[in-house]
Amino acid sequence: MKIIFSIGILSLIVISNVYGFTCKNDGFFANPSDVHTYYQCSSGVSYLISCLAGLVWNDTEKMCDWKTVDPITNCENSQQTNCYKTAGWSTDGTIIVGMDSERGSDSQHLSSPLGVFVDTHNGNNVYVADKDNDRIQKFLGSSLSSGGITVAGGNGVGSAPNQLDGPVDVYVDKDENIYIADYGNHRIQMWPKDAISGITIAVRNDTSHGVNYVTFLYSMFFHEKTHTFYLPDYFHGRILKFTNGSNNGIIVAGNNGDVSTFNSLDGPTSVFVDDCETLYVTDSGNCRVQKYVKGASQGITVAGGYGRGNNASQLNMPYSLQVDKYKNLYILDTYNGRIQRWGPNDNVGVTIIGGHDFGNAANQLMYSYSLALDSEGNIFVSDLGNHRIQKFNILPETITC
């Protein structure tokens, strides 16, 4: 949870004039000698201001914030404090769209929502691939319940540059360009910020079943750091990697015959790629999650793999996953109606959301398809069977750092 202080609150904190700090311009500045304080410059005069107890100055966000442990960037040494090891979330979700669990095409409804994405760089705005309405909906992070704004598609089903045909996934980069897995048109579309039409940046080649052929466009992952798309090829049991702008894919996981071995996949549905280019794949047919370090041809099972079931060591058709900066896995265990968290090196998962059978109650899920985390650790779920998006709030008191 981030704390933003108003001027009224600042007046309650001790403020002193500081003559040792030179103001180059007005605004807020870090104090290099003490992370618990910061400088404010006004009309060329500097003031030293203290954050409330337990908070530190975040110079990027220009605000007092909770102290966090930065992730290790050395890919060969991933040892770090796991601040979310015992984190918990609200039992009941808050519905941000689809309150009545009915299909619809207005701003307060969806029809078969699939991919959900949270833009953590630009105010935690939420984007949803609204499949049966052939559009991408945007929900403002500052007012999530105010209704969706159509930012791509919404011009009827079709293949024209301003149309979509059953979009299944969405990604938004730091510049707010929108990337869409356009299922019915077998293509990846990029809609520049505020554009009224899209540009095709990858398309399926129907002339062969080679590495540029994805039979069923289930989801996508865009690795912004390397400008690379990763596409699960569900029916061919493999993950394809496409450099931005190329229609020729490279097999980076799976496609090895026997679907139950460590170097094979059976019905992969989603992929997550971290900053070290480690791949995590929901291997739905084998009810497990496989991890592939960069360049590896053989995967390591890091969740599930004990047959189909609902005990703590099992999964049942996992559809989607996210990995946080502490290497915790958040797995949408779709046919068990729950979200499981598996910490690094854990042998069993912990149910953090759902697990109460299928239904439309606030603590239930129904054939959920995708999940995403915002910058504070809140979890958003596209609850496909209920045509809604739910937000489950993280409980700050359960974070250990």
Side-chain angles (χ1 to χ4, degrees):
M1 176 183 292
K2 292 184 176 179
I3 306 298
I4 303 175
F5 296 110
S6 67
I7 297 300
I9 296 177
L10 284 176
S11 66
L12 301 177
I13 304 173
V14 175
I15 301 177
S16 59
N17 186 233
V18 179
Y19 297 100
F21 182 82
T22 302
C23 293
K24 295 181 179 180
N25 48 56
D26 288 350
F28 300 94
F29 305 92
N31 179 2
S33 63
D34 181 12
V35 296
H36 300 284
T37 61
Y38 62 97
Y39 292 108
Q40 179 181 4
C41 289
S42 178
S43 300
V45 179
S46 62
Y47 301 89
L48 184 64
I49 305 176
S50 297
C51 294
L52 291 178
L55 302 182
V56 297
W57 178 248
N58 183 331
D59 201 48
T60 300
E61 301 291 339
K62 302 298 181 186
M63 59 188 287
C64 289
D65 200 353
W66 298 106
K67 182 179 180 181
T68 60
V69 176
D70 292 329
I72 298 297
T73 56
N74 182 355
C75 296
E76 296 181 358
N77 180 13
S78 60
Q79 297 298 317
Q80 61 179 316
T81 301
N82 185 357
C83 298
Y84 280 14
K85 183 176 179 61
T86 59
W89 283 259
S90 56
T91 301
D92 291 351
T94 301
I95 299 172
I96 69 170
V97 60
M99 186 67 68
D100 56 9
S101 297
E102 298 291 335
R103 295 177 183 268
S105 59
D106 58 41
S107 65
Q108 292 291 346
H109 286 86
L110 303 167
S111 184
S112 298
L114 297 184
V116 60
F117 178 86
V118 181
D119 182 5
T120 57
H121 299 292
N122 297 287
N124 286 323
N125 296 321
V126 178
Y127 294 78
V128 180
D130 190 11
K131 179 178 179 294
D132 289 349
N133 283 321
D134 305 299
R135 66 185 183 181
I136 302 298
Q137 295 292 90
K138 175 182 178 180
F139 299 85
L140 299 177
S142 58
S143 55
L144 288 171
S145 61
S146 63
I149 304 166
T150 301
V151 292
N155 298 302
V157 61
S159 59
N162 70 338
Q163 293 179 305
L164 299 170
D165 183 358
V168 296
D169 211 350
V170 59
Y171 179 93
V172 180
D173 67 18
K174 292 181 181 179
D175 297 320
E176 297 183 79
N177 301 306
I178 303 170
Y179 301 83
I180 305 163
D182 191 13
Y183 167 76
N185 289 315
H186 311 292
R187 66 187 182 183
I188 304 295
Q189 290 286 91
M190 191 273 279
W191 288 56
K193 181 181 178 180
D194 299 326
I196 60 173
S197 63
I199 303 166
T200 301
I201 58 176
V203 64
R204 186 178 84 180
N205 183 340
D206 288 321
T207 61
S208 71
H209 285 241
V211 294
N212 58 357
Y213 187 97
V214 176
T215 310
F216 186 85
L217 189 57
Y218 203 99
S219 65
M220 70 174 182
F221 187 94
F222 182 51
H223 194 250
E224 194 168 343
K225 181 179 179 181
T226 58
H227 301 284
T228 302
F229 289 94
Y230 293 83
L231 304 181
D233 190 2
Y234 184 88
F235 288 110
H236 289 139
R238 61 189 183 180
I239 305 297
L240 300 182
K241 173 183 175 180
F242 293 81
T243 301
N244 193 1
S246 173
N247 291 328
N248 295 312
I250 300 171
I251 300 172
V252 291
N255 199 40
N256 293 292
D258 187 346
V259 296
S260 62
T261 61
F262 284 108
N263 62 343
S264 298
L265 299 169
D266 181 11
T269 52
S270 71
V271 58
F272 182 96
V273 186
D274 67 15
D275 286 342
C276 298
E277 295 182 71
T278 301
L279 275 65
Y280 297 83
V281 181
T282 49
D283 188 14
S284 65
N286 287 315
C287 298
R288 65 185 182 183
V289 173
Q290 295 292 93
K291 173 183 174 181
Y292 296 80
V293 298
K294 184 178 180 180
S297 60
Q298 182 166 305
I300 303 167
T301 301
V302 290
Y306 296 98
R308 190 184 308 273
N310 61 4
N311 66 34
S313 65
Q314 294 177 305
L315 300 169
N316 189 355
M317 293 296 288
Y319 273 16
S320 178
L321 86 159
Q322 292 283 305
V323 183
D324 69 21
K325 61 185 177 182
Y326 308 113
K327 306 303 181 185
N328 298 300
L329 278 68
Y330 302 88
I331 304 166
L332 191 54
D333 191 13
T334 298
Y335 278 37
N336 282 325
R338 65 186 183 182
I339 294 176
Q340 297 288 93
R341 181 187 62 217
W342 291 61
N345 305 314
D346 281 356
N347 294 318
V348 295
V350 176
T351 300
I352 57 173
I353 291 169
H356 306 290
D357 298 322
F358 289 151
N360 62 4
N363 66 348
Q364 292 180 304
L365 304 173
M366 183 180 290
Y367 300 111
S368 294
Y369 195 91
S370 177
L371 81 160
L373 279 72
D374 69 11
S375 60
E376 297 177 3
N378 303 308
I379 295 177
F380 293 77
V381 184
S382 65
D383 199 7
L384 171 64
N386 288 313
H387 307 288
R388 68 186 182 184
I389 303 297
Q390 282 191 290
K391 176 186 178 184
F392 292 86
N393 293 313
I394 194 167
L395 304 175
E397 66 272 16
T398 65
I399 302 172
T400 56
C401 302

